[in-house]
Amino acid sequence: MEALKRQAAACALERVAGGMTLGLGTGSTARHFVDLLGEKVRAGLKVVGVPTSEATRAQAEQCGIRLTTLDEVDRLDLTVDGADEVDPALDLIKGGGGALLREKIVAAASDRMIVIADETKWVDALGRFPLPVEVIPFGLGATRRALEKAFAVAGVSGQMALRKGKDGHVFVTDGGHWIVDCHLGRIADAPRLAGLLNAIPGVVESGLFIGLASTVVLAGASGIRIVERR
């Protein structure tokens, strides 16, 4: 599986040109991209990156990649990131690694987003992977009740679980928020659900990435498959 992820990362790297400002994703597949990009940088490629998490920042610095922030640049040429699920509309579920807020900010500030993944991430409809929802700790009970109402309106339902870290304590995002993982099964209308979730005051952001990915690179046993947004 790691070999497939690296193949997808290598394919995306072919679309990187000197002088680009890049969004650097978070997660196991994005780590391969940052590693490979670092090799190119050490060989002379000139790029600037904006990391989507503190973990990616540390990795990029170790790889010698020059970094900047969205306070210092207006737009990014390209973001390369992974996904937990991708559907035929190229809508995504992201946030399994807990960096969904920064990932979405960076993706939205980019001219293009390439998603790199192994072929198991391709699904007919989103929802098999639990949907992460980043929330404010204050008023969590009220937020969860509002989430249940939004799910009912969108025609989905399922269990919600507050994410815990490896130490057993509540997982805290880089932004100081919590994540509720929502086990919803098939989401028939992901764009509608995304809009309903974003209207809830206690919700910071959801892991539904709607209309952001322009290209998906899927690596499988039979090779690389590239899907472009129509």
Side-chain angles (χ1 to χ4, degrees):
M1 194 63 71
E2 291 305 309
L4 293 179
K5 293 176 180 179
R6 200 165 186 87
Q7 289 174 26
C11 182
L13 186 59
E14 294 175 1
R15 302 192 178 204
V16 173
M20 280 187 168
T21 304
L22 304 171
L24 305 178
T26 295
S28 59
T29 310
R31 274 198 298 273
H32 286 294
F33 177 79
V34 174
D35 277 342
L36 294 171
L37 180 64
E39 293 177 7
K40 290 283 190 179
V41 166
R42 291 190 293 275
L45 180 69
K46 303 293 184 183
V47 295
V48 181
V50 173
T52 54
S53 67
E54 294 306 312
T56 298
R57 176 187 300 281
Q59 183 196 4
E61 288 175 344
Q62 189 173 27
C63 289
I65 300 169
R66 183 182 160 210
L67 299 179
T68 187
T69 70
L70 289 175
D71 294 321
E72 298 169 332
V73 295
D74 293 332
R75 292 288 298 174
L76 305 180
D77 296 299
L78 173 66
T79 284
V80 179
D81 205 348
D84 298 301
E85 284 189 342
V86 185
D87 74 7
L90 302 196
D91 292 332
L92 319 170
I93 284 182
K94 288 179 54 57
L100 63 110
L101 176 59
R102 293 190 186 185
E103 287 173 336
K104 191 174 284 190
I105 290 171
V106 169
S110 303
D111 292 335
R112 291 183 298 138
M113 179 188 188
I114 297 178
V115 173
I116 51 178
D118 65 84
E119 62 185 356
T120 65
K121 303 302 193 297
W122 184 265
V123 296
D124 291 334
L126 301 178
R128 181 179 63 194
F129 188 89
L131 174 64
V133 180
E134 190 160 342
V135 298
I136 298 290
F138 176 82
L140 179 61
T143 301
R144 290 178 68 129
R145 289 188 288 275
L147 287 172
E148 289 177 348
K149 291 179 181 178
F151 295 153
V153 171
V156 295
S157 64
Q159 297 297 312
M160 290 182 283
L162 186 63
R163 186 178 297 182
K164 300 292 183 65
K166 293 179 181 179
D167 59 2
H169 297 295
V170 175
F171 176 86
V172 180
T173 70
D174 285 343
H177 308 126
W178 293 352
I179 289 180
V180 176
D181 289 309
C182 306
H183 301 255
L184 302 176
R186 183 184 180 91
I187 301 172
D189 190 341
R192 185 185 187 203
L193 178 58
L196 291 167
L197 297 179
N198 288 339
I200 297 172
V203 169
V204 180
E205 193 52 82
S206 84
L208 289 170
F209 281 52
I210 307 298
L212 289 171
S214 51
T215 304
V216 174
V217 178
L218 296 166
S222 58
I224 295 289
R225 176 187 172 201
I226 297 176
V227 186
E228 304 277 1
R229 179 172 292 280
R230 295 173 181 175

